Amino acid sequence: MKALHIITGLGVGGAEQQLRLLLRHLPVESEVVTLTNPGPVADGLAADGVRVTHLGMAGNRDLAALPRLARIVRRGRYDLVHTHLYRACLYGRIAARLAGVRAVVATEHSLGDSQMEGRPLTAGVRALYLLGERLGRCTVAVSPTVAGRLARWGVPEPRIAVVPNGIDLTRFAYDPDARRRTRAHLGLPADAFVIGGVGRLVPGKRFDVLIRALAELPADCRLLLVGGGPEEPALRRAARAAGVAERVLFAGERPYLPDGPPGRGLPDGPPPCPDLPDGSSGPRLPDGPNPPDSPPSRDLPDGSSGPRLPDGQSPPGSPPDGDLPDGSSGLGLPDGPATPNWADGSRVPDLSADGPSGPGLPALASAMDVLAAPSPEEAFGLAVVEALAAGLPVRYTSCPALEDLPPEAAPDAVRVPCDAGAYARALAEVRAAGPGPRTAPEAARHYSITRSAARLMDVYTAALARPVPPPRSPQGVTPS
């Protein structure tokens, strides 16, 4: 089987890293097209031996990207097309049908009750989503919660399949040596109580709640934020205003998979990159694709660049021009891991052999004492499940991955209202209880990536086996 995955962007995010992890476990010849923003995950896929093509799409007004994408699909002679994230699902489904590929699967990674990938769920967004959904054979929901939301939106239930996100349990297993090295690397005291927050730094994640909670906790408490995004300057200001700037550490974006094919046993973290004046490292694909808001490159597979439509012409219900998977524009943001630094502007010393890019996400999880996830609306809650795999106690506000399981599957995962005072009290209780055994509960084992890959293969098999309906005459009669 030969499959093409089409995704909106390949910066560091949950959907993007989940795609890379899945491709390491699917027995399928796979290639990837990213509409825009080829970032660290694109580099990682290429290092894994996956062919990555940057379409060079210049925002939602670049409708000329559609025929370019259709030509890529047609020339690749793919058996199946799998799309990921809102814009890629819309353009990818249409392109696949134009290219004659009927086995089209889409994964819905980010549908919440009131927003999708950071954009409000307007009537236009919903109508455009449902219009594109009819062109595929199956929509994959990453949790039963998302499946219910899709059904309420109007997606027929027989067209919905649940394939949960998966994690690599062995990579997240607690490592006391990694804990010691990582704390030394970051300048965290060995006896500090470290609260972790993992995710894109966007308003919806509500990391501001953790900063205000930290101000109510003892001086030995530190907040370690892992991720990048447009909310970082506001979070730094919030830390200074709360008087905790010297206790909030920004670790930057941290892909957790090593480069190269699976099983090579490479160290955690991305390869070292030079630090630019703005604090970004900016890794790019070898062929030097354009930034998200640049005109398409003329070295695309079809040799064309494609004119952009005049301003103001975009499909009804389209998200704002230049949106990334989290709903932000992405302009001026680093594409790769920045040097970890405190909210007061001071940088941590490089005290380990991890290189200037620092330790990866599994090592950072080992260095934490608790994970706090105050986001009030999630589609799955991947950071929570990864923390459980590292044996961490978790305090969270929304996590469908846990809400779809019995409480005993994760006994040290406790739901907390999205409120600074509530989080301060909950985290103080974890600190007072002291460290417990760092073993993964049943909930983490339930979401093994091998199980998710096997379920997705069942979806692929069904999509390929489904007969193509015969054409109908204008009168609605099937020709004999």
Side-chain angles (χ1 to χ4, degrees):
M1 184 192 305
K2 186 178 182 183
L4 176 68
H5 292 261
I6 304 173
I7 191 166
T8 302
L10 285 171
V12 178
E16 296 83 357
Q17 297 203 86
Q18 186 67 196
L19 172 60
R20 186 183 174 195
L21 184 59
L22 269 172
L23 294 192
R24 289 181 157 214
H25 292 82
L26 287 174
V28 176
E29 180 186 352
S30 298
E31 297 178 359
V32 175
V33 168
T34 179
L35 302 187
T36 184
N37 188 34
V41 179
D43 294 329
L45 284 165
D48 291 347
V50 177
R51 181 182 177 182
V52 179
T53 300
H54 177 208
L55 189 66
M57 188 175 182
N60 289 321
R61 298 187 180 99
D62 184 13
L63 297 184
L66 185 57
R68 295 203 309 273
L69 183 57
R71 281 192 286 271
I72 292 173
V73 177
R74 187 178 298 113
R75 291 175 180 176
R77 304 178 68 85
Y78 301 102
D79 301 301
L80 180 141
V81 170
H82 188 162
T83 63
H84 307 262
L85 301 174
Y86 181 85
R87 193 198 303 181
C89 284
L90 177 62
Y91 280 85
R93 283 164 167 153
I94 297 172
R97 293 299 293 267
L98 289 174
V101 178
R102 297 295 180 125
V104 181
V105 173
T107 293
E108 181 45 63
H109 295 270
S110 307
L111 179 61
D113 287 322
S114 63
Q115 58 82 35
M116 175 193 290
E117 301 167 25
R119 63 176 63 83
L121 294 181
T122 63
V125 168
R126 177 176 177 270
L128 201 56
Y129 185 96
L130 293 176
L131 181 66
E133 194 278 334
R134 297 188 186 113
L135 300 178
R137 286 194 172 165
C138 179
T139 296
V140 171
V142 297
S143 66
T145 299
V146 170
R149 291 168 180 165
L150 286 168
R152 289 192 296 274
W153 250 31
V155 178
E157 291 192 23
R159 295 169 59 85
I160 302 171
V162 176
V163 178
N165 286 328
I167 60 170
D168 187 337
L169 286 165
T170 58
R171 287 198 58 75
F172 276 94
Y174 174 65
D175 183 343
D177 291 333
R179 177 184 175 89
R180 176 186 52 77
R181 291 194 309 268
T182 300
R183 288 199 170 206
H185 175 95
L186 298 176
L188 290 167
D191 59 350
F193 181 75
V194 178
I195 304 158
V198 178
R200 287 282 295 164
L201 302 185
V202 293
K205 294 297 183 181
R206 297 303 311 273
F207 289 127
D208 61 300
V209 169
L210 300 185
I211 289 174
R212 287 185 279 117
L214 182 66
E216 301 181 30
L217 293 170
D220 68 323
C221 296
R222 302 290 189 275
L223 176 59
L224 175 59
L225 293 178
V226 183
E231 191 75 358
E232 183 172 332
L235 292 172
R236 290 180 181 275
R237 290 192 297 270
R240 290 193 293 270
V244 294
E246 75 286 353
R247 294 198 280 148
V248 180
L249 180 60
F250 290 84
E253 294 176 336
R254 298 290 151 188
Y256 75 78
L257 285 174
D259 288 332
R264 290 180 62 181
L266 298 180
D268 286 340
C273 300
D275 210 25
L276 300 180
D278 64 352
S280 66
S281 55
R284 290 290 187 182
L285 290 178
D287 59 357
N290 298 327
D293 59 337
S294 299
S297 170
R298 292 192 178 273
D299 61 359
L300 296 174
D302 64 357
S304 67
S305 61
R308 280 192 273 180
L309 291 180
D311 286 345
Q313 295 186 20
S314 61
S318 296
D321 185 39
D323 265 2
L324 295 183
D326 65 347
S328 66
S329 67
L331 303 181
L333 295 178
D335 290 319
T339 302
N341 58 93
W342 297 94
D344 62 4
S346 60
R347 292 195 172 191
V348 303
D350 182 14
L351 300 176
S352 76
D354 292 301
S357 61
L361 183 55
L364 289 166
S366 287
M368 298 173 186
D369 293 298
V370 61
L371 182 99
S375 169
E377 193 169 298
E378 291 286 339
F380 181 78
L382 186 59
V384 168
V385 177
E386 290 169 344
L388 292 173
L392 282 169
V394 170
R395 299 298 178 263
Y396 71 96
T397 300
S398 173
C399 181
L402 295 186
E403 293 153 17
D404 295 329
L405 296 178
E408 58 269 21
D412 208 3
V414 178
R415 199 165 186 172
V416 178
C418 183
D419 172 78
Y423 266 93
R425 291 188 293 273
L427 295 170
E429 290 172 1
V430 176
R431 175 179 173 272
R438 294 288 295 263
T439 55
E442 175 57 33
R445 294 192 293 271
H446 178 81
Y447 292 113
S448 163
I449 186 61
T450 54
R451 180 182 297 182
S452 296
R455 288 191 184 183
L456 187 58
M457 282 304 302
D458 291 340
V459 171
Y460 285 180
T461 301
L464 288 165
R466 180 177 169 184
V468 178
R472 302 181 71 87
S473 70
Q475 291 75 32
V477 178
T478 301
S480 56

